[in-house]
Amino acid sequence: MHQSVSAIVIERQQQLDAVLHEISGLETVMDGIKNLHQQLVEKKDRITWSMNMHKGLISPLWRLPTEILSQIFDHCLPGEGSLLSPSTRRAPILLTGICRRWREVAVCLPSLWCRLYVEVHDSDWQRASFCYDSWLKRSRGCPLSLELNCVANDLTKLQSLFQPYIDQIIQSSSLRIHFYGETVQPELLLQDLPALQEVTMIILAHIDTSYIAQFISRLPSTLRSLTVTESFGVEHLSSCNSVLAHLTNLEIYIDHSNAFIHLLQLCPNLSSLKVCAVINQVQTLEPFTHTSIRSLRINFNSVYTRCISGLFDALSLPNLRVFEARYLRSWPHKEFKSFLVRSQCPLESLTFGSLRKMMTDEQRAKYVNLFPSIEVIVLHPLESTF
């Protein structure tokens, strides 16, 4: 009995070995088929790539004159105000990786390389400065628009980076600066900018208003557009009079209605004004008329702003065409309507944000009766961006 069972086990082992051998042979065949399939797929991809490339060579796109291709490249850049820093995923560097001709056109097109966002990091400055320098060389002497994101200990590095391009910086028409503290003195880097027309000051830390006013007062009289992302006290406005008097566009934070009126008095040529405002005092203001304002946008701080009727009682804007007001708990319809009637302005657009529950159809109709062709927009709170 024992010998019979042992013989069966030996026989089954022989059968198992034979099956395993067959499986191994089949797996070898399957691996070979898999490798062959992969080779064929890769060959198909190469043929497809080559076919598409050669089709592209006869496409009108590849026969576009350099002048037209250059204009297309210019439109590939992000809009004004957007950060423009070295990245292989975005234009203009992205354009240099498509093909040899596109790279040649892009590299030789100075307008693609005249805007630059510079951010200093101690740990990687050597690599970053090489990228920035390569970028700036491609601007080929054209005026530069810079955005600086730096702290006090970065000044030496930035001076070293910008020194070869100082003539282009002097011709600059646009400058954006991120302030991290009062120890940062970017004016020491860029003391003389006689062609400067646009400045944006992004305040990222608490800074005394007097320091901001001091910086603004040093800006040239060529300035036409100014943005300041920090509350600005009325007591410091007059020190900036020589700059404010020439502005046509202004974005600023103010802390009460008297500052609003005083600001308009100092900016007689202002055409567009965007204000973030906190008005929490009821004041009687002297009547004031500003004849140049065409666009007025006010973003009220709904937590601290209490009463704004006094502002509209004093103000007249006879040239106003666009008005926006956002983030306010209640709206002084009576005073605002009187302001419009008194101004006799050619209003074209009226936008309210976060006031859906506070404006009735009757109130909307009154504005339309005053200006039959006006567009009245009441935004939902989630739409009320500023």
Side-chain angles (χ1 to χ4, degrees):
M1 180 66 176
H2 177 74
Q3 292 179 347
S4 177
V5 172
S6 296
I8 293 174
V9 171
I10 293 172
E11 181 181 0
R12 295 295 180 265
Q13 182 63 52
Q14 292 173 346
Q15 292 173 347
L16 178 60
D17 291 342
V19 170
L20 290 175
H21 181 73
E22 291 177 1
I23 291 174
S24 177
L26 182 59
E27 288 178 344
T28 301
V29 173
M30 291 174 63
D31 289 341
I33 294 174
K34 184 177 179 180
N35 291 335
L36 179 60
H37 177 266
Q38 181 63 32
Q39 293 174 13
L40 291 174
V41 169
E42 293 175 355
K43 185 176 182 180
K44 180 203 70 155
D45 291 342
R46 289 195 298 270
I47 293 172
T48 302
W49 177 85
S50 178
M51 182 174 65
N52 291 336
M53 185 191 70
H54 285 86
K55 282 183 178 179
L57 293 176
I58 60 174
S59 167
L61 177 63
W62 293 93
R63 298 197 301 271
L64 285 176
T66 299
E67 294 76 12
I68 295 179
L69 197 58
S70 298
Q71 291 186 29
I72 294 174
F73 285 180
D74 278 328
H75 286 288
C76 290
L77 297 181
E80 292 294 332
S82 301
L83 300 181
L84 197 56
S85 56
S87 172
T88 57
R89 297 183 178 182
R90 295 190 300 270
I93 291 182
L94 176 63
L95 300 173
T96 65
I98 304 301
C99 66
R100 180 181 298 177
R101 179 166 183 254
W102 280 32
R103 175 178 175 79
E104 291 174 350
V105 172
V107 169
C108 296
L109 189 60
S111 59
L112 296 181
W113 313 96
C114 291
R115 290 163 49 199
L116 179 60
Y117 170 75
V118 177
E119 184 172 11
V120 179
H121 290 296
D122 291 335
S123 60
D124 205 16
W125 175 244
Q126 186 174 1
R127 185 190 68 83
S129 62
F130 176 80
C131 292
Y132 293 142
D133 186 60
S134 298
W135 182 295
L136 292 171
K137 284 178 180 177
R138 294 174 181 177
S139 64
R140 297 174 182 261
C142 292
L144 297 170
S145 294
L146 299 175
E147 180 162 0
L148 308 181
N149 190 341
C150 57
V151 295
N153 58 2
D154 296 330
L155 295 182
T156 302
K157 296 176 181 178
L158 291 175
Q159 286 174 328
S160 176
L161 172 65
F162 291 141
Q163 186 57 44
Y165 309 100
I166 193 65
D167 290 339
Q168 294 173 249
I169 295 174
I170 289 176
Q171 302 175 58
S172 175
S173 63
S174 175
L175 175 64
R176 290 168 62 94
I177 303 177
H178 298 240
F179 285 82
Y180 280 99
E182 295 179 23
T183 56
V184 182
Q185 295 179 292
E187 66 272 16
L188 298 180
L189 278 174
L190 310 166
Q191 293 182 355
D192 185 17
L193 298 175
L196 196 61
Q197 297 185 27
E198 179 179 353
V199 167
T200 299
M201 302 169 59
I202 302 172
I203 314 299
L204 301 174
H206 177 71
I207 298 179
D208 187 354
T209 303
S210 61
Y211 177 77
I212 301 174
Q214 185 181 34
F215 177 81
I216 293 175
S217 66
R218 293 193 181 111
L219 296 172
S221 60
T222 55
L223 198 70
R224 295 296 177 266
S225 179
L226 175 64
T227 298
V228 184
T229 64
E230 180 62 36
S231 179
F232 206 69
V234 64
E235 67 274 14
H236 298 296
L237 286 172
S238 296
S239 64
C240 306
N241 184 36
S242 61
V243 175
L244 297 176
H246 300 283
L247 294 180
T248 59
N249 179 73
L250 177 63
E251 297 182 28
I252 199 168
Y253 284 59
I254 58 171
D255 52 12
H256 51 80
S257 55
N258 190 35
F260 189 97
I261 296 295
H262 188 41
L263 184 66
L264 292 180
Q265 291 172 340
L266 294 175
C267 303
N269 295 305
L270 210 58
S271 174
S272 175
L273 175 62
K274 180 184 287 187
V275 173
C276 289
V278 175
I279 301 177
N280 54 14
Q281 298 176 348
V282 178
Q283 296 175 292
T284 301
L285 304 173
E286 293 294 326
F288 178 74
T289 299
H290 195 291
T291 59
S292 298
I293 292 285
R294 297 168 61 92
S295 174
L296 176 60
R297 294 172 168 86
I298 309 177
N299 181 14
F300 294 99
N301 187 314
S302 60
V303 176
Y304 298 104
T305 295
R306 295 290 179 264
C307 181
I308 62 170
S309 57
L311 178 62
F312 293 120
D313 284 337
L315 194 60
S316 296
L317 302 176
N319 203 28
L320 187 66
R321 284 160 168 75
V322 175
F323 180 87
E324 294 185 14
R326 309 192 182 198
Y327 301 115
L328 196 63
R329 294 181 177 179
S330 62
W331 185 251
H333 289 282
K334 179 181 177 181
E335 290 81 1
F336 184 69
K337 180 184 174 183
S338 298
F339 153 73
L340 294 177
V341 172
R342 181 173 62 253
S343 296
Q344 295 184 337
C345 54
L347 198 64
E348 300 170 357
S349 175
L350 186 58
T351 301
F352 296 104
S354 302
L355 289 172
R356 186 179 296 276
K357 296 181 179 180
M358 301 162 193
M359 177 180 289
T360 64
D361 291 339
E362 180 182 359
Q363 290 167 334
R364 185 195 295 260
K366 288 181 179 179
Y367 294 129
V368 175
N369 287 337
L370 283 175
F371 308 94
S373 61
I374 195 175
E375 181 182 18
V376 180
I377 304 172
V378 181
L379 299 174
H380 186 274
L382 295 179
E383 301 175 297
S384 297
T385 57
F386 194 79

